[in-house]
Short mmCIF file of all heavy atoms in Angstrom, two decimals:
data_model
loop_
_atom_site.label_atom_id
_atom_site.label_comp_id
_atom_site.label_asym_id
_atom_site.label_seq_id
_atom_site.Cartn_x
_atom_site.Cartn_y
_atom_site.Cartn_z
N ASP A 459 47.23 -99.12 -81.88
CA ASP A 459 47.29 -98.70 -80.48
C ASP A 459 46.36 -97.52 -80.21
O ASP A 459 45.69 -97.46 -79.17
CB ASP A 459 48.72 -98.35 -80.08
CG ASP A 459 49.33 -97.27 -80.97
OD1 ASP A 459 48.87 -97.12 -82.12
OD2 ASP A 459 50.27 -96.58 -80.52
N VAL A 460 46.29 -96.58 -81.16
CA VAL A 460 45.37 -95.44 -81.01
C VAL A 460 43.93 -95.92 -81.07
O VAL A 460 43.07 -95.45 -80.31
CB VAL A 460 45.64 -94.38 -82.11
CG1 VAL A 460 44.62 -93.26 -82.03
CG2 VAL A 460 47.05 -93.84 -81.98
N ALA A 461 43.64 -96.87 -81.95
CA ALA A 461 42.27 -97.39 -82.09
C ALA A 461 41.83 -98.08 -80.80
O ALA A 461 40.69 -97.90 -80.35
CB ALA A 461 42.20 -98.36 -83.26
N ARG A 462 42.72 -98.87 -80.20
CA ARG A 462 42.37 -99.55 -78.95
C ARG A 462 42.12 -98.55 -77.83
O ARG A 462 41.17 -98.69 -77.05
CB ARG A 462 43.48 -100.53 -78.56
CG ARG A 462 43.55 -101.77 -79.43
CD ARG A 462 44.47 -102.81 -78.81
NE ARG A 462 45.86 -102.34 -78.76
CZ ARG A 462 46.74 -102.52 -79.72
NH1 ARG A 462 46.39 -103.16 -80.84
NH2 ARG A 462 47.98 -102.09 -79.59
N TRP A 463 42.96 -97.52 -77.75
CA TRP A 463 42.77 -96.50 -76.71
C TRP A 463 41.46 -95.76 -76.91
O TRP A 463 40.69 -95.56 -75.96
CB TRP A 463 43.94 -95.52 -76.75
CG TRP A 463 43.68 -94.27 -75.97
CD1 TRP A 463 43.69 -94.12 -74.62
CD2 TRP A 463 43.31 -92.99 -76.51
NE1 TRP A 463 43.38 -92.83 -74.28
CE2 TRP A 463 43.14 -92.11 -75.42
CE3 TRP A 463 43.13 -92.50 -77.80
CZ2 TRP A 463 42.78 -90.78 -75.58
CZ3 TRP A 463 42.78 -91.17 -77.97
CH2 TRP A 463 42.61 -90.33 -76.88
N ALA A 464 41.17 -95.33 -78.13
CA ALA A 464 39.94 -94.57 -78.39
C ALA A 464 38.71 -95.42 -78.15
O ALA A 464 37.71 -94.95 -77.60
CB ALA A 464 39.95 -94.05 -79.83
N ALA A 465 38.75 -96.69 -78.55
CA ALA A 465 37.60 -97.57 -78.36
C ALA A 465 37.32 -97.78 -76.88
O ALA A 465 36.16 -97.78 -76.44
CB ALA A 465 37.84 -98.91 -79.04
N ALA A 466 38.37 -97.93 -76.07
CA ALA A 466 38.18 -98.11 -74.62
C ALA A 466 37.69 -96.82 -73.98
O ALA A 466 36.79 -96.83 -73.13
CB ALA A 466 39.48 -98.57 -73.98
N ALA A 467 38.27 -95.68 -74.40
CA ALA A 467 37.92 -94.39 -73.78
C ALA A 467 36.48 -93.99 -74.07
O ALA A 467 35.87 -93.26 -73.28
CB ALA A 467 38.87 -93.30 -74.26
N THR A 468 35.93 -94.44 -75.18
CA THR A 468 34.55 -94.09 -75.54
C THR A 468 33.57 -95.22 -75.21
O THR A 468 32.41 -95.15 -75.59
CB THR A 468 34.45 -93.76 -77.04
OG1 THR A 468 34.95 -94.86 -77.81
CG2 THR A 468 35.26 -92.51 -77.36
N GLN A 469 34.05 -96.26 -74.55
CA GLN A 469 33.21 -97.37 -74.08
C GLN A 469 32.44 -98.03 -75.23
O GLN A 469 31.26 -98.34 -75.12
CB GLN A 469 32.25 -96.87 -73.00
CG GLN A 469 32.97 -96.23 -71.83
CD GLN A 469 32.04 -95.63 -70.81
OE1 GLN A 469 31.34 -96.36 -70.10
NE2 GLN A 469 32.02 -94.31 -70.70
N GLY A 470 33.14 -98.24 -76.34
CA GLY A 470 32.54 -98.96 -77.44
C GLY A 470 31.62 -98.15 -78.33
O GLY A 470 30.87 -98.72 -79.12
N HIS A 471 31.66 -96.83 -78.24
CA HIS A 471 30.82 -95.98 -79.09
C HIS A 471 31.61 -95.71 -80.37
O HIS A 471 32.61 -95.00 -80.37
CB HIS A 471 30.53 -94.67 -78.36
CG HIS A 471 29.46 -93.84 -79.01
ND1 HIS A 471 29.58 -93.37 -80.29
CD2 HIS A 471 28.25 -93.41 -78.56
CE1 HIS A 471 28.50 -92.67 -80.61
NE2 HIS A 471 27.68 -92.68 -79.57
N VAL A 472 31.14 -96.27 -81.49
CA VAL A 472 31.91 -96.23 -82.73
C VAL A 472 32.15 -94.81 -83.20
O VAL A 472 33.28 -94.42 -83.54
CB VAL A 472 31.20 -97.05 -83.82
CG1 VAL A 472 32.03 -97.04 -85.11
CG2 VAL A 472 30.98 -98.48 -83.37
N GLY A 473 31.10 -94.00 -83.26
CA GLY A 473 31.24 -92.64 -83.75
C GLY A 473 32.16 -91.79 -82.90
O GLY A 473 33.03 -91.07 -83.42
N ARG A 474 32.02 -91.88 -81.59
CA ARG A 474 32.87 -91.10 -80.71
C ARG A 474 34.32 -91.59 -80.77
O ARG A 474 35.26 -90.80 -80.67
CB ARG A 474 32.35 -91.16 -79.28
CG ARG A 474 31.03 -90.42 -79.09
CD ARG A 474 30.57 -90.46 -77.63
NE ARG A 474 29.31 -89.76 -77.47
CZ ARG A 474 28.65 -89.67 -76.32
NH1 ARG A 474 29.17 -90.24 -75.23
NH2 ARG A 474 27.51 -89.02 -76.24
N ALA A 475 34.49 -92.89 -80.91
CA ALA A 475 35.86 -93.44 -81.00
C ALA A 475 36.55 -92.93 -82.26
O ALA A 475 37.74 -92.57 -82.22
CB ALA A 475 35.81 -94.97 -81.01
N ARG A 476 35.83 -92.88 -83.37
CA ARG A 476 36.43 -92.36 -84.61
C ARG A 476 36.80 -90.89 -84.46
O ARG A 476 37.87 -90.46 -84.88
CB ARG A 476 35.45 -92.54 -85.77
CG ARG A 476 36.04 -92.14 -87.12
CD ARG A 476 35.00 -92.13 -88.23
NE ARG A 476 34.37 -93.43 -88.35
CZ ARG A 476 33.07 -93.67 -88.13
NH1 ARG A 476 32.28 -92.66 -87.76
NH2 ARG A 476 32.57 -94.86 -88.28
N ARG A 477 35.91 -90.13 -83.82
CA ARG A 477 36.19 -88.70 -83.63
C ARG A 477 37.39 -88.50 -82.70
O ARG A 477 38.27 -87.67 -82.97
CB ARG A 477 34.96 -88.00 -83.04
CG ARG A 477 35.13 -86.49 -82.89
CD ARG A 477 33.95 -85.85 -82.19
NE ARG A 477 32.71 -86.02 -82.94
CZ ARG A 477 31.71 -86.80 -82.59
NH1 ARG A 477 31.78 -87.52 -81.47
NH2 ARG A 477 30.62 -86.88 -83.32
N LEU A 478 37.44 -89.26 -81.63
CA LEU A 478 38.53 -89.10 -80.66
C LEU A 478 39.87 -89.50 -81.27
O LEU A 478 40.90 -88.86 -81.03
CB LEU A 478 38.24 -89.94 -79.41
CG LEU A 478 39.18 -89.75 -78.22
CD1 LEU A 478 39.12 -88.33 -77.72
CD2 LEU A 478 38.80 -90.73 -77.11
N ALA A 479 39.86 -90.55 -82.09
CA ALA A 479 41.11 -91.03 -82.68
C ALA A 479 41.63 -90.10 -83.76
O ALA A 479 42.86 -89.99 -83.96
CB ALA A 479 40.90 -92.43 -83.26
N GLY A 480 40.74 -89.41 -84.45
CA GLY A 480 41.18 -88.62 -85.60
C GLY A 480 41.14 -87.12 -85.43
O GLY A 480 41.60 -86.40 -86.33
N ASP A 481 40.61 -86.62 -84.32
CA ASP A 481 40.44 -85.17 -84.16
C ASP A 481 41.22 -84.67 -82.94
O ASP A 481 40.84 -84.94 -81.79
CB ASP A 481 38.95 -84.85 -83.99
CG ASP A 481 38.68 -83.35 -83.93
OD1 ASP A 481 39.65 -82.56 -83.97
OD2 ASP A 481 37.50 -82.96 -83.83
N PRO A 482 42.31 -83.96 -83.15
CA PRO A 482 43.10 -83.45 -82.01
C PRO A 482 42.29 -82.55 -81.09
O PRO A 482 42.50 -82.55 -79.87
CB PRO A 482 44.24 -82.66 -82.68
CG PRO A 482 44.35 -83.25 -84.06
CD PRO A 482 42.94 -83.64 -84.44
N GLN A 483 41.35 -81.78 -81.65
CA GLN A 483 40.53 -80.90 -80.81
C GLN A 483 39.64 -81.72 -79.88
O GLN A 483 39.41 -81.34 -78.73
CB GLN A 483 39.70 -79.98 -81.67
CG GLN A 483 40.51 -78.93 -82.42
CD GLN A 483 39.64 -77.95 -83.18
OE1 GLN A 483 38.44 -78.16 -83.34
NE2 GLN A 483 40.24 -76.87 -83.66
#
C-alpha cells in the first residue's frame, strides 16, 4: 500500500518513489 501511494505521488519516478516511501523527512 505504501509502494502504490509513493509511486502515484511521484508520477512513476522510481528514485523519488523509493525516497518518499522510505524517508520520513
